[in-house]
Amino acid sequence: MANPLYDALFAPFVGRSMAVLILADGREISGAKFHQMIAGYGAALVAKGVVKGDRVAVQVVKSPEALALYGAVVAVGAVFLPLNTAYTASEVAYFRQDAAPRLFFDDAALAALSGDAADFAPVDCEGDDLAAILYTSGTTGRSKGAMLTHQNLLSNARVLVDAWQFTDADVLLHALPIFHTHGLFVACNVSFMSGGAMIFLPSFDVKTVLAQMTRATVMMGVPTFYTRLLEQVDLDFAHMRLFTSGSAPLLAQTHRDFAARTGHVILERYGMTETNMNTSNPYTGARRAGTVGRPLDGVQVRLSDVVDGVGMIEVRGPNVFAGYWQMPEKTAAEFTADGWFITGDLGTMDADGYLSIVGRSKDLVITGGYNVYPKEVEQVLDTCAGVVESAVIGLPHPDLGEAVFAVLVGAPDLAVIPAQLAAQLARFKLPKGMIVVDALPRNTMGKVQKAELRRIYADWFSGSAKDPSKNASNASKSNVSN
């Protein structure tokens, strides 16, 4: 027996003198050094009682050490549980209670972690053993832990290396966070699998990215990266071979503008926490603006309940997760009788098999690549003084793709609400705009018509709808938060 994910991603670093990580300050970490870090952390985890199947929760800043801890958790057969660094203490408390991790690492705990690499040996695992749990928003507001196996992650990394033609000569500019699928399981796993190197930046800073990009061949980003790059005067990317975009819809205009300015056509793809990547525009061939391409090798995609060409997107393949942690009924409800995962996204597919995402059946808001479930924000808003009720929606935003927007009923003080929310919610969940109205639109059954709210306030962030009288006759007060 072996350890599938460790063997494919981390074992090849043994004895490698070439850099695997290139840091913003110019320092380089060789494959051999990186593997030594993994082995040392692995030995320390075992010494602390971690055994196969245990969950290890991590809420730390992006660093080589954090990435090495991921490798160590995989190596000891445990389950990696990365948490967004913006989560508040109350949010983290829920995850710790639900997942019951053997260990929890914050920055201080990681800094104190050490072990003798010579004492470490990887633990045997099988393909269907769990490698990670990533929490994602749910239809009830309760976060769900998506269980990802060694095979889920390994199969997707292999497919993407081939689809995007990665080799050991590639240098990936990595400015994404590493607590979710895109930054960790797409970017890092693909780079590790191909044997290339990463310019490992702590975050996306446009000046730093432009300075570091001269050494790169590939960049993976979210739409916000590209809108901010387009704000710069000089964009010389002749040395680059590929730009990809994901985590949120890329506006067709951004796609066209980037191609016109740089000569590079952004490759957009489609994935989610539960499935990793499902489709991709081709590396060689037409990359069509507004589409997320065709199904990847080994992945099946279909549309169900099609009306006027639009249907529910369902997927099946080795990339699809094993279910939700301790939620068997929810897991069963998310799969069809013949084993297809119901994504909750609505799409169309053209005659050439290119998929386009046209909306979501769930009220999930994707802002800057992060998922926000409105119910969670509404529950906090409803506790604020003067708020009778609230409705949270996502609205088009030129930088973030979508922005969180709150429609409130009552007589709240909008000047104090942001501080109240910030104490309980991660920053990316905070509304970027708010308005107070006399009443929320409802149907005959009393359900709030969020589609109508999205229609009324669709232009809020475009700069043409800041006067509430232009949007709704029942609007009494408005405010745009920073």
Side-chain angles (χ1 to χ4, degrees):
M1 196 183 295
N3 184 311
L5 200 58
Y6 167 82
D7 292 344
L9 301 185
F10 305 112
F13 291 136
V14 175
R16 172 177 162 172
S17 59
M18 293 176 57
V20 62
L21 298 177
I22 303 167
L23 308 185
D25 61 6
R27 288 183 297 133
E28 296 185 356
I29 298 176
S30 69
K33 175 62 177 176
F34 187 60
H35 187 271
Q36 186 178 30
M37 293 166 63
I38 292 171
Y41 285 161
L45 292 176
V46 172
K48 289 181 175 294
V50 175
V51 298
K52 181 178 177 180
D54 280 345
R55 278 74 60 205
V56 177
V58 179
Q59 189 188 35
V60 297
V61 298
K62 182 180 179 182
S63 68
E65 291 76 15
L67 200 55
L69 182 58
Y70 161 52
V73 173
V74 169
V76 301
V79 182
F80 192 62
L81 175 54
L83 298 174
N84 192 324
T85 51
Y87 282 143
T88 64
S90 61
E91 291 169 313
V92 172
Y94 165 75
F95 300 123
R96 294 182 68 173
Q97 179 181 16
D98 189 63
R102 170 76 68 172
L103 295 176
F104 171 77
F105 286 94
D106 57 14
D107 292 313
L110 178 56
L113 186 66
S114 64
D116 188 346
D119 294 338
F120 176 71
V123 173
D124 288 339
C125 294
E126 297 182 353
D128 59 359
D129 284 330
L130 291 187
I133 294 176
L134 268 64
Y135 276 87
T136 185
S137 297
T139 56
T140 64
R142 178 188 173 192
S143 293
K144 304 168 295 183
M147 300 185 292
L148 298 163
T149 68
H150 282 244
Q151 175 63 14
N152 291 152
L153 301 181
L154 189 56
S155 66
N156 216 230
R158 285 173 172 160
V159 166
L160 294 176
V161 167
D162 181 62
W164 296 341
Q165 298 189 19
F166 269 76
T167 72
D168 58 6
D170 274 310
V171 178
L172 172 67
L173 194 150
H174 193 303
L176 297 160
I178 57 170
F179 47 70
H180 65 48
T181 296
H182 192 176
L184 188 61
F185 298 145
V186 179
C188 293
N189 284 3
V190 166
S191 183
F192 291 156
M193 177 72 72
S194 66
M198 287 188 287
I199 300 173
F200 204 61
L201 303 180
S203 61
F204 183 87
D205 172 79
V206 69
K207 294 187 183 301
T208 303
V209 164
L210 288 172
Q212 294 290 335
M213 196 178 290
T214 58
R215 306 177 65 182
T217 62
V218 181
M219 186 180 85
M220 296 185 191
V222 298
T224 304
F225 287 13
Y226 297 106
T227 59
R228 292 180 181 174
L229 285 172
L230 285 170
E231 294 172 355
Q232 307 304 305
V233 176
D234 297 318
L235 298 177
D236 180 9
F237 299 152
H239 61 288
M240 297 287 286
R241 73 168 185 87
L242 178 64
F243 292 90
T244 74
S245 181
S247 295
L250 180 72
L251 295 178
Q253 189 60 50
T254 303
H255 189 280
R256 290 189 288 266
D257 289 347
F258 196 81
R261 289 278 308 277
T262 70
H264 286 279
V265 180
I266 298 171
L267 186 154
E268 191 171 11
R269 81 299 180 281
Y270 165 58
M272 54 196 308
T273 301
E274 292 92 339
T275 65
N276 298 297
M277 297 302 103
N278 298 308
T279 70
S280 174
N281 272 273
Y283 182 78
T284 302
R287 301 177 193 170
R288 299 182 182 176
T291 81
V292 291
R294 301 185 181 100
L296 290 162
D297 285 348
V299 181
Q300 296 173 281
V301 178
R302 73 182 184 187
L303 301 181
S304 66
D305 302 322
V306 178
V307 177
D308 295 329
V310 178
M312 176 67 71
I313 300 170
E314 298 175 352
V315 300
R316 183 168 67 179
N319 58 309
V320 178
F321 75 136
Y324 295 114
W325 175 255
Q326 295 185 331
M327 289 185 175
E329 294 182 357
K330 182 61 180 175
T331 299
E334 296 293 323
F335 284 85
T336 64
D338 55 348
W340 292 71
F341 176 63
I342 305 167
T343 66
D345 292 319
L346 300 173
T348 64
M349 190 173 289
D350 67 19
D352 296 322
Y354 282 72
L355 181 69
S356 296
I357 312 298
V358 300
R360 292 185 295 277
S361 62
K362 303 172 184 178
D363 284 330
L364 188 68
V365 179
I366 302 179
T367 178
Y370 300 137
N371 292 351
V372 178
Y373 188 72
K375 187 65 176 179
E376 183 181 16
V377 183
E378 289 165 0
Q379 288 172 338
V380 179
L381 279 168
D382 291 346
T383 67
C384 294
V387 176
V388 175
E389 62 178 337
S390 64
V392 170
I393 56 176
L395 296 179
H397 190 282
D399 192 31
L400 300 172
E402 278 188 322
V404 179
F405 184 80
V407 184
L408 309 176
V409 175
D413 183 351
L414 296 184
V416 301
I417 284 182
Q420 293 177 284
L421 298 183
Q424 300 181 64
L425 296 171
R427 186 174 179 179
F428 67 86
K429 299 178 183 179
L430 303 180
K432 297 297 183 185
M434 294 183 288
I435 189 168
V436 178
V437 299
D438 295 331
L440 299 174
R442 283 181 160 82
N443 63 15
T444 56
M445 298 299 292
K447 184 177 180 180
V448 175
Q449 298 292 85
K450 288 193 172 181
E452 178 66 5
L453 291 175
R454 285 189 286 266
R455 183 193 67 79
I456 293 171
Y457 302 110
D459 297 328
W460 185 271
F461 295 107
S462 70
S464 63
K466 297 301 173 60
D467 181 354
S469 64
K470 296 178 181 179
N471 297 297
S473 60
N474 65 342
S476 59
K477 187 176 180 182
S478 67
N479 179 68
V480 176
S481 61
N482 293 320

